């Protein structure tokens, strides 16, 4: 019987197993997960409502134990993979066990970038359910939370902590929250939202150090100020988990480098998905690595297909999609949204708006949508089909001209 | 035996991954909740609809035998 080994039991690995089975893969599937878990859990909720909900400290399941066994998956959790031997087609686990594979799917993801200011008792990272459990244990008693990093994790935790009344300060060297992903002008809309919700923001400000005097943390800033905190969340990005592959011979460059079919360069039986995947574009325009839930799920389906039909392997050509919940705003981001050519549709003061981005001034290449489901559907189609940006904007303007039916 | 798609409307968060995966089965209404355009899934479409259902970030969709 053939065996597909999946290293990494988060969204990418689990979706790959599901897609293999729905594609009638009848071989053995082994998932190796380094965290000791009864079932795989989903990461996006950890920084959102789950952080303050009363549903228990365990993660939200990606699939239940029953569903996992119905999939016929051998769930090997609690031991990390420590090596890969391509010639003998085996992975090596930290406890010395070796598992051979016919196909290998690498889905080891990324971990939170460690705090450069130490890991004192009041300093938190947020990536795993254990991180979330540690933060939620203190969050209700936290009067003053300092969030270092105004990216998605930082902005979400700030919003979640505000919802239970904490005084929150966001510190970031960049000029506005999420400005790397959305551009500075649009990031400012979100800065205004956080300000309106009572978050203090220190943008264009760095952190020099974090001390702990036994009763509180003291965060020293580049502007010379020192602010007090009962808890500090350091949300400054992620680092790919590729150390276990260093001696494997695979090409590592801030991720495992693959061809456009998501096969590791030089090894057609090794597939790479999720945060750890850096794929080369089919048109030779470079390589990309994404840290998105939906990308991991899409890539999982694609490599499942490629495992099942290697002679008919598909190329990966995504439309990115990310969501974030902050206060009463559901923020949905489609395509590529970093460019400065962006146009606002609707009014953020109405809590419903969209932003259209165009990289070439003609086609819609990305969109941000807040609390506007129809515009989201429209944006996902328009970006997928490379539609004209002006036509997309006109269609949203027409929607805006029609009053929204009362929710009552 | 019929294969049908089922939605948990309370769980749905309007992410619209299902619409991207199978727009002939799924839509999203003005409140951001999934709409099932049809529920019976013929044999030839099971994999595509299952894939779309599995793309739901909150597992609000199931493809089951009845």
């Amino acid at each position: 019987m053939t065996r597909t080994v999946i290293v990494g039991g988060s969204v990418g690995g689990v979706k790959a197993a599901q897609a293999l089975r729905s594609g009638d893969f009848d071989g053995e599937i082994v998932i190796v997960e380094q965290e000791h878990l009864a079932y795989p859990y989903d990461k996006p909720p950890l920084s959102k409502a789950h952080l303050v909900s009363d549903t228990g400290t365990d993660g939200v399941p990606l699939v239940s134990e029953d569903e996992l066994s119905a999939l016929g998956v051998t769930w090997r959790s609690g031991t990390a993979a420590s090596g890969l031997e391509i010639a003998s087609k085996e992975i090596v686990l930290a406890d010395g066990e070796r598992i051979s594979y016919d196909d290998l799917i690498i889905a080891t993801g990324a971990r939170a970038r460690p705090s450069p200011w130490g890991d004192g008792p009041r300093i938190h990272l947020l990536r795993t359910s254990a991180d979330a459990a540690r933060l939620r244990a203190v969050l209700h008693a936290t009067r003053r939370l300092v969030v270092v990093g105004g990216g998605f994790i930082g902005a979400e935790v700030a919003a979640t902590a505000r919802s239970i009344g904490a005084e929150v300060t966001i510190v970031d060297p960049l000029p506005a929250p999420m400005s790397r992903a959305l551009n500075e002008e649009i990031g400012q809309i979100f800065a205004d939202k956080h300000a309106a919700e009572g978050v203090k923001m220190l943008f264009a400000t760095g952190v020099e150090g974090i001390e702990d005097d036994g009763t509180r943390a003291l965060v020293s800033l580049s502007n010379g100020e020192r602010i007090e905190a009962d808890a500090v969340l350091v949300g400054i990005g992620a680092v790919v988990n590729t150390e276990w592959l260093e001696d494997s011979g695979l090409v590592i460059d801030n991720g495992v480098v693959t061809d456009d079919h998501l096969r590791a360069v030089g090894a057609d039986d090794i597939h790479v998905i999720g945060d750890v995947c850096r794929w080369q574009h089919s048109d030779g325009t470079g390589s990309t690595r994404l840290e998105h839930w939906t990308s991991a799920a899409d890539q999982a389906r694609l490599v499942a297909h490629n495992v099942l039909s290697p002679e008919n392997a598909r190329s990966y050509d995504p439309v990115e999609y990310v969501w974030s919940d902050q206060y009463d705003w559901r923020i949905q981001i489609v395509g590529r949204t970093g460019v400065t050519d962006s146009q606002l549709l609707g009014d953020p003061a109405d809590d419903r708006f969209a932003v259209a981005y165009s990289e070439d001034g003609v086609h819609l290449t990305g969109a941000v949508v807040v609390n506007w489901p129809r515009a989201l559907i429209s944006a996902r189609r328009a970006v997928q089909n490379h539609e004209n940006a002006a036509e997309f904007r006109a269609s949203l303007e027409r929607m805006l001209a029609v009053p929204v039916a009362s929710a009552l | 035996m019929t294969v049908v798609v089922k939605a948990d409307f309370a769980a749905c968060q309007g992410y619209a991954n299902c619409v991207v995966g199978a727009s002939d089965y799924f839509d999203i209404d003005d409140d951001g909740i999934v709409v099932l355009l049809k529920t019976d899934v013929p044999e030839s479409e099971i994999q595509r609809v299952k894939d779309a259902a599995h793309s739901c970030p909150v597992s609000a969709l199931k493809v089951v035998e009845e």
Side-chain angles (χ1 to χ4, degrees):
Chain A
M1 189 158 69
T2 61
R3 180 190 288 149
T4 296
V5 174
I6 301 170
V7 184
S10 194
V11 58
V14 170
K15 296 287 172 185
Q18 286 181 321
L20 282 166
R21 290 301 186 215
S22 69
D24 292 331
F25 177 74
D26 58 3
E28 192 181 344
I29 299 176
V30 179
I31 301 182
V32 174
E33 164 56 44
Q34 67 168 358
E35 289 182 58
H36 185 71
L37 304 167
Y39 54 82
Y41 66 89
D42 202 19
K43 293 203 168 73
L46 297 179
S47 53
K48 304 180 177 78
H50 180 75
L51 197 54
V52 291
S53 74
D54 53 8
T55 54
T57 54
D58 291 337
V60 179
L62 271 165
V63 291
S64 66
E65 289 177 72
D66 287 348
E67 288 167 315
L68 204 58
S69 68
L71 281 173
V73 167
T74 303
W75 174 247
R76 182 82 168 71
S77 89
T79 309
S82 61
L84 164 64
E85 293 182 11
I86 292 174
S88 58
K89 299 186 63 146
E90 288 176 310
I91 63 161
V92 184
L93 303 191
D95 62 8
E97 188 188 344
R98 307 170 80 87
I99 305 176
S100 65
Y101 60 83
D102 295 285
D103 280 279
L104 175 67
I105 299 176
I106 295 175
T108 40
R111 59 187 181 274
R113 186 177 296 284
S115 158
W117 310 288
D119 53 0
R122 271 164 274 270
I123 295 179
H124 294 261
L125 302 174
L126 183 51
R127 180 80 190 178
T128 65
S129 86
D131 294 336
R134 179 169 174 259
L135 181 56
R136 64 186 275 156
V138 300
L139 202 54
H140 279 277
T142 294
R143 191 164 62 79
R144 301 159 301 182
L145 174 71
V146 169
V147 174
V148 182
F152 287 96
I153 292 287
E156 288 176 359
V157 171
T160 305
R162 277 303 295 153
S163 75
I164 56 165
E167 295 169 21
V168 180
T169 304
I170 301 178
V171 183
D172 195 304
L174 291 176
M178 301 179 290
S179 54
R180 195 178 283 120
L182 303 181
N183 87 32
E184 182 179 338
E185 181 191 346
I186 302 306
Q188 192 57 46
I189 295 172
F190 295 91
D192 293 345
K193 175 64 173 175
H194 283 278
E197 298 286 347
V199 171
K200 186 176 179 193
M201 278 168 293
L202 299 169
F203 280 91
T205 305
V207 169
E208 305 273 322
I210 304 174
E211 287 162 52
D212 198 298
D213 71 359
T215 59
R216 64 202 164 152
L218 297 158
V219 183
S220 303
L221 305 179
S222 58
N223 63 10
E225 273 188 66
R226 203 159 75 148
I227 51 177
E228 298 180 10
D230 305 302
V232 179
L233 174 77
V234 177
I236 54 171
V239 184
V240 289
N241 293 322
T242 52
E243 288 80 0
W244 68 288
L245 298 167
E246 265 165 14
D247 299 325
S248 67
L250 293 184
V251 182
I252 310 290
D253 177 15
N254 185 22
V256 181
V257 180
T258 75
D259 64 13
D260 61 307
H261 299 94
L262 307 184
R263 296 181 297 212
V265 169
D268 282 357
D269 52 359
I270 299 177
H271 315 262
V272 190
I273 59 176
D275 294 6
V276 75
C277 171
R278 172 172 295 283
W279 82 96
Q280 296 172 320
H281 307 167
S282 54
D283 61 4
T285 53
S287 66
T288 302
R289 188 175 71 79
L290 294 173
E291 296 179 354
H292 304 162
W293 191 100
T294 300
S295 304
D298 287 347
Q299 292 169 346
R301 277 192 298 283
L302 184 128
V303 303
H305 167 85
N306 291 353
V307 167
L308 292 161
S309 306
E311 71 291 345
N312 185 26
R314 287 189 194 141
S315 177
Y316 184 59
D317 180 21
V319 172
E320 295 91 331
Y321 173 63
V322 187
W323 71 89
S324 180
D325 296 330
Q326 297 173 28
Y327 313 104
D328 53 350
W329 283 10
R330 160 139 307 154
I331 304 160
Q332 293 168 299
I333 302 170
V334 181
R336 297 184 300 272
T337 50
V339 294
T340 54
D341 181 349
S342 57
Q343 296 205 33
L344 177 64
L345 299 137
D347 185 348
D350 297 335
D351 296 319
R352 180 179 79 140
F353 64 96
V355 182
Y357 294 78
S358 178
E359 289 179 344
D360 59 7
V362 177
H363 301 97
L364 185 76
T365 47
V368 178
V369 178
V370 173
N371 294 347
W372 195 354
R374 284 277 154 214
L376 173 72
I377 299 284
S378 194
R380 291 191 74 161
R381 284 185 184 139
V383 173
Q384 181 100 46
N385 299 330
H386 309 287
E387 286 174 18
N388 181 284
E391 279 174 26
F392 172 75
R393 293 195 301 267
S395 76
L396 263 56
E397 296 284 6
R398 283 195 296 278
M399 282 191 230
L400 285 168
V402 180
V404 182
S406 165
L408 303 173
Chain B
M1 181 200 84
T2 322
V3 174
V4 297
V5 56
K6 293 190 166 181
D8 179 344
F9 297 104
C12 176
Q13 298 289 317
Y15 294 119
N17 284 2
C18 56
V19 183
V20 174
S23 62
D24 50 340
Y25 280 82
F26 307 106
D27 196 5
I28 298 283
D29 69 16
D30 287 336
D31 296 323
I33 303 299
V34 67
V35 177
L36 298 179
L37 302 175
K38 49 188 173 184
T39 53
D40 287 5
V41 185
E43 172 87 39
S44 61
E45 298 188 348
I46 290 174
Q47 187 177 346
R48 183 172 64 92
V49 178
K50 266 191 182 176
D51 281 352
H54 287 155
S55 74
C56 176
V58 287
S59 304
L61 299 170
K62 296 260 186 295
V63 177
V64 293
E65 290 174 7
E66 279 205 330

